[in-house]
Amino acid sequence: MILRMLTLAGGLAGTAATSQFPEYSQQYAQRLGGAVDALAEVVADFDASAAAVGLDRQAALAQMTGTAFLDRRRADMTATFQRHARLEADLRALDGQGPFMRAYHLPRLTDSQIARAAWAAYQPAVPLSPAGLIFAVFGFVAGGGLVGAFLRLLRWPFRRRSAPANPA
């Protein structure tokens, strides 16, 4: 009886967690768009400054040497260009997608800064959409199944062994 209750609790925990994914992933996608826009401004400003003196991006970066500050600034700008390219690709993959395709593209929801900001602003709610209901059912089955399997694994060494058949 206790094992069934623990399995049910696992199912309910899975329900609570996965039913929130559609809304959280939408919040993440919105913040992703804002981050891409902000980084695009920085990239465009750098490229415009480089073009104003007749350089492309790579040539401008190559000239940023000679002092600790310039070396550090070159490394920062290189990281900014890389992050912008990665986030822009993530946004293209997620743009206009529903919750099931956002779940399919889950590895694209992994930028730590955006995830932290989305989580900080996120308010859990009762899922009233069909997608939220489907995620809730999946979470219930997955959570209950995982807890049930874990409990069976824990009980396995203690199960009773059946007596050998008596040959007569």
Side-chain angles (χ1 to χ4, degrees), residues 93-150:
L94 295 172
D95 195 30
Q97 300 296 328
F100 299 108
M101 287 306 293
R102 288 193 303 264
Y104 176 76
H105 290 291
L106 190 62
R108 295 191 176 272
L109 279 72
T110 57
D111 185 82
S112 61
Q113 291 177 354
I114 296 172
R116 255 192 315 273
W119 188 253
Y122 177 72
Q123 295 290 322
V126 175
L128 298 178
S129 68
L133 179 62
I134 291 169
F135 274 91
V137 169
F138 172 78
F140 181 80
V141 171
L146 286 173
V147 170
F150 178 71

Side-chain angles (χ1 to χ4, degrees), residues 4 10-11 15 21 24 33-34 41 126 128 138 151 155:
R4 286 186 184 152
T15 298
F21 178 79
Y24 172 78
E41 286 184 34
V126 175
L128 298 178
F138 172 78
L151 292 173
R155 283 187 10 195

Side-chain angles (χ1 to χ4, degrees), residues 10 62 65 91 136 160:
T65 60
L91 183 61
R160 291 185 189 170

